[in-house]
Coordinates of all heavy atoms in Angstrom, one line a residue:
A1 N 6.7 -6.2 4.1 CA 6.3 -5.3 3.1 C 6.6 -3.8 3.6 O 6.1 -2.9 3.0 CB 4.8 -5.4 2.8
A2 N 7.6 -3.8 4.5 CA 8.0 -2.4 5.0 C 8.8 -1.8 3.9 O 10.0 -2.3 3.6 CB 8.9 -2.6 6.3
H3 N 8.3 -0.8 3.3 CA 9.0 -0.2 2.1 C 9.9 0.9 2.4 O 9.8 2.1 2.1 CB 7.9 0.2 1.1 CG 8.5 0.6 -0.2 ND1 9.4 -0.1 -0.9 CD2 8.1 1.6 -1.1 CE1 9.7 0.5 -2.0 NE2 9.0 1.4 -2.1
L4 N 11.0 0.6 3.2 CA 11.9 1.6 3.6 C 12.7 2.2 2.4 O 12.8 3.4 2.4 CB 13.0 1.0 4.6 CG 14.0 1.9 5.1 CD1 13.4 3.0 5.9 CD2 15.0 1.0 6.0
A5 N 13.1 1.4 1.5 CA 13.9 2.0 0.3 C 13.1 3.1 -0.4 O 13.6 4.1 -0.8 CB 14.3 0.9 -0.6
G6 N 11.8 2.8 -0.6 CA 10.9 3.8 -1.2 C 10.7 5.1 -0.4 O 10.6 6.2 -1.0
A7 N 10.6 4.9 0.9 CA 10.4 6.0 1.8 C 11.7 6.9 1.7 O 11.6 8.1 1.8 CB 10.1 5.7 3.2
I8 N 12.8 6.2 1.7 CA 14.1 7.0 1.6 C 14.2 7.7 0.3 O 14.6 8.9 0.2 CB 15.3 6.0 1.9 CG1 15.2 5.4 3.3 CG2 16.7 6.7 1.5 CD1 15.6 6.4 4.4
A9 N 14.0 7.0 -0.7 CA 14.1 7.6 -2.1 C 13.1 8.6 -2.4 O 13.5 9.6 -3.2 CB 13.9 6.5 -3.2
A10 N 12.0 8.8 -1.7 CA 11.0 9.7 -1.9 C 11.5 11.1 -1.5 O 11.1 12.1 -1.9 CB 9.7 9.4 -1.2
N11 N 12.5 11.1 -0.6 CA 13.1 12.3 0.0 C 14.5 12.7 -0.3 O 15.1 13.5 0.3 CB 13.0 12.2 1.5 CG 11.5 12.1 1.9 OD1 10.7 13.1 1.8 ND2 11.0 11.0 2.4
T12 N 15.0 12.0 -1.4 CA 16.4 12.4 -1.8 C 16.5 12.1 -3.3 O 15.7 11.3 -3.9 CB 17.5 11.6 -1.0 OG1 18.9 12.1 -1.3 CG2 17.5 10.1 -1.4
T13 N 17.6 12.7 -3.9 CA 17.9 12.4 -5.4 C 19.2 11.7 -5.5 O 19.7 11.5 -6.6 CB 17.8 13.7 -6.1 OG1 18.8 14.6 -5.6 CG2 16.5 14.3 -6.3
I14 N 19.8 11.2 -4.4 CA 21.0 10.4 -4.5 C 20.6 9.0 -4.8 O 19.5 8.6 -4.3 CB 22.0 10.6 -3.3 CG1 21.4 10.1 -2.0 CG2 22.5 12.0 -3.2 CD1 22.4 10.0 -0.9
P15 N 21.3 8.1 -5.4 CA 20.8 6.8 -5.7 C 20.6 6.0 -4.4 O 21.4 6.0 -3.4 CB 22.1 6.2 -6.4 CG 22.8 7.3 -7.0 CD 22.6 8.5 -5.9
V16 N 19.5 5.3 -4.4 CA 19.0 4.4 -3.3 C 19.0 3.0 -3.8 O 18.4 2.8 -4.9 CB 17.7 4.8 -2.8 CG1 17.2 3.9 -1.7 CG2 17.7 6.2 -2.1
I17 N 19.6 2.0 -3.1 CA 19.6 0.7 -3.5 C 19.0 -0.1 -2.5 O 19.3 0.0 -1.2 CB 21.2 0.2 -3.5 CG1 21.9 1.2 -4.6 CG2 21.2 -1.3 -3.9 CD1 23.4 1.0 -4.6
G18 N 18.0 -0.8 -2.8 CA 17.1 -1.5 -1.9 C 17.5 -2.9 -1.7 O 17.9 -3.6 -2.8
I19 N 17.5 -3.4 -0.5 CA 17.8 -4.9 -0.3 C 16.6 -5.4 0.4 O 16.2 -5.1 1.5 CB 19.0 -5.1 0.7 CG1 20.2 -4.5 0.2 CG2 19.2 -6.6 0.9 CD1 21.4 -4.6 1.3
P20 N 15.8 -6.3 -0.4 CA 14.8 -7.0 0.2 C 15.2 -8.0 1.2 O 16.1 -8.9 0.7 CB 13.9 -7.5 -1.0 CG 14.7 -7.3 -2.3 CD 16.0 -6.5 -1.9
V21 N 14.7 -8.1 2.3 CA 15.2 -8.9 3.4 C 14.2 -10.2 3.6 O 13.0 -9.9 3.7 CB 15.5 -8.2 4.6 CG1 15.9 -9.2 5.8 CG2 16.6 -7.2 4.5
N22 N 14.8 -11.3 3.5 CA 13.8 -12.5 3.9 C 13.6 -12.5 5.4 O 14.5 -12.9 6.2 CB 14.6 -13.7 3.5 CG 13.8 -15.1 3.8 OD1 12.7 -15.0 4.2 ND2 14.3 -16.2 3.5
A23 N 12.4 -12.0 5.7 CA 12.1 -11.8 7.2 C 10.7 -12.4 7.5 O 10.1 -12.0 8.6 CB 12.2 -10.4 7.6
S24 N 10.1 -13.1 6.6 CA 8.8 -13.5 6.8 C 8.6 -14.9 6.3 O 9.4 -15.5 5.6 CB 7.7 -12.6 6.2 OG 7.6 -12.8 4.8
S25 N 7.3 -15.5 6.4 CA 7.1 -16.8 5.9 C 7.0 -16.7 4.4 O 6.9 -17.9 3.7 CB 5.7 -17.3 6.5 OG 4.7 -16.3 6.1
L26 N 7.0 -15.6 3.8 CA 7.0 -15.5 2.2 C 8.3 -15.6 1.6 O 8.4 -15.5 0.5 CB 6.2 -14.2 1.9 CG 4.7 -14.1 2.3 CD1 4.1 -12.8 2.0 CD2 3.9 -15.3 1.7
G27 N 9.3 -15.8 2.4 CA 10.7 -16.0 1.9 C 11.2 -14.7 1.3 O 12.2 -14.8 0.5
G28 N 10.9 -13.5 1.6 CA 11.3 -12.3 1.1 C 10.7 -11.8 -0.1 O 10.9 -10.7 -0.7
I29 N 9.8 -12.6 -0.7 CA 9.0 -12.1 -1.9 C 8.3 -10.8 -1.7 O 8.1 -10.0 -2.6 CB 8.1 -13.3 -2.5 CG1 8.9 -14.4 -2.9 CG2 7.2 -12.7 -3.6 CD1 9.9 -14.2 -4.1
D30 N 7.7 -10.8 -0.5 CA 6.9 -9.6 -0.2 C 7.8 -8.4 -0.2 O 7.6 -7.3 -0.6 CB 6.2 -9.7 1.2 CG 7.1 -10.3 2.3 OD1 8.2 -10.8 2.0 OD2 6.7 -10.2 3.5
A31 N 9.0 -8.5 0.5 CA 10.0 -7.4 0.5 C 10.5 -7.1 -0.9 O 10.6 -5.9 -1.2 CB 11.1 -7.7 1.4
L32 N 10.7 -8.1 -1.7 CA 11.2 -7.8 -3.1 C 10.1 -7.1 -3.9 O 10.5 -6.0 -4.5 CB 11.3 -9.2 -3.7 CG 11.7 -9.1 -5.3 CD1 13.1 -8.4 -5.5 CD2 11.8 -10.5 -5.9
L33 N 8.9 -7.4 -3.8 CA 7.9 -6.8 -4.6 C 7.6 -5.3 -4.1 O 7.5 -4.3 -4.9 CB 6.5 -7.5 -4.5 CG 6.6 -8.9 -5.2 CD1 5.3 -9.6 -5.1 CD2 6.9 -8.7 -6.6
S34 N 7.7 -5.1 -2.8 CA 7.5 -3.8 -2.3 C 8.7 -2.9 -2.5 O 8.6 -1.7 -2.6 CB 7.3 -3.7 -0.8 OG 8.3 -4.1 0.0
T35 N 9.9 -3.4 -2.8 CA 11.1 -2.6 -3.1 C 11.2 -2.4 -4.6 O 11.6 -1.3 -5.0 CB 12.4 -3.3 -2.6 OG1 12.2 -3.7 -1.2 CG2 13.6 -2.5 -2.8
V36 N 10.9 -3.3 -5.4 CA 11.2 -3.2 -6.8 C 10.0 -2.4 -7.6 O 10.1 -1.9 -8.6 CB 11.4 -4.6 -7.5 CG1 10.1 -5.3 -7.7 CG2 12.2 -4.5 -8.8
Q37 N 8.8 -2.4 -7.0 CA 7.7 -1.8 -7.8 C 7.5 -0.3 -7.3 O 6.6 0.1 -6.6 CB 6.3 -2.5 -7.3 CG 6.3 -3.9 -7.9 CD 6.2 -4.0 -9.4 OE1 6.6 -3.0 -10.1 NE2 5.6 -5.1 -9.9
M38 N 8.4 0.5 -7.8 CA 8.4 1.9 -7.4 C 7.6 2.7 -8.5 O 7.6 2.3 -9.7 CB 9.8 2.4 -7.4 CG 10.6 2.1 -6.2 SD 9.8 2.7 -4.6 CE 9.8 4.4 -4.9
P39 N 6.9 3.8 -8.1 CA 6.2 4.6 -9.1 C 7.3 5.4 -9.9 O 8.3 5.7 -9.5 CB 5.3 5.5 -8.2 CG 6.1 5.5 -6.9 CD 6.7 4.3 -6.7
S40 N 6.7 5.6 -11.2 CA 7.6 6.4 -12.1 C 8.0 7.7 -11.4 O 7.2 8.5 -10.8 CB 6.8 6.7 -13.3 OG 7.6 7.5 -14.3
G41 N 9.3 8.0 -11.6 CA 9.9 9.3 -11.0 C 10.6 9.1 -9.7 O 11.3 10.0 -9.3
I42 N 10.4 8.0 -9.0 CA 11.0 7.7 -7.8 C 11.7 6.4 -7.9 O 11.3 5.4 -7.4 CB 10.1 7.8 -6.6 CG1 9.3 9.0 -6.5 CG2 10.9 7.6 -5.2 CD1 10.0 10.4 -6.2
P43 N 13.0 6.4 -8.5 CA 13.6 5.0 -8.7 C 14.3 4.6 -7.5 O 14.7 5.3 -6.6 CB 14.6 5.4 -9.8 CG 14.9 6.7 -9.7 CD 13.7 7.5 -9.2
V44 N 14.3 3.2 -7.4 CA 15.1 2.6 -6.4 C 15.7 1.3 -7.0 O 15.1 0.5 -7.7 CB 14.2 1.9 -5.2 CG1 15.0 1.0 -4.3 CG2 13.6 3.0 -4.4
A45 N 17.1 1.3 -7.1 CA 17.8 0.2 -7.5 C 17.6 -1.0 -6.7 O 17.7 -0.7 -5.4 CB 19.3 0.4 -7.8
T46 N 17.2 -2.2 -7.1 CA 17.0 -3.3 -6.3 C 17.9 -4.4 -6.5 O 18.0 -4.9 -7.6 CB 15.5 -3.7 -6.3 OG1 14.6 -2.5 -6.2 CG2 15.1 -4.7 -5.4
V47 N 18.5 -5.0 -5.4 CA 19.3 -6.2 -5.7 C 18.4 -7.4 -5.2 O 17.3 -7.2 -4.7 CB 20.7 -6.1 -4.9 CG1 21.4 -5.1 -5.4 CG2 20.3 -6.0 -3.4
G48 N 19.0 -8.6 -5.3 CA 18.2 -9.8 -5.0 C 17.9 -9.9 -3.4 O 18.5 -9.1 -2.7

């Protein structure tokens, strides 16, 4: 659930593309959710 893409996007206006990494027993779902669920105004494009 380390939300690096969101932390990066919060501090720049250039496009940020998040890659959720399968690094836990949850198969990457935790990373996917923390990357794709951004608050309005701070977009992160997210791939699989």
Side-chain angles (χ1 to χ4, degrees):
H3 191 37
L4 181 59
I8 296 293
N11 293 292
T12 189
T13 55
I14 66 172
V16 175
I17 302 163
I19 303 174
V21 174
N22 180 1
S24 74
S25 61
L26 297 176
I29 297 296
D30 48 346
L32 174 64
L33 294 175
S34 70
T35 305
V36 78
Q37 293 290 25
M38 286 299 298
S40 182
I42 308 293
V44 170
T46 307
V47 295

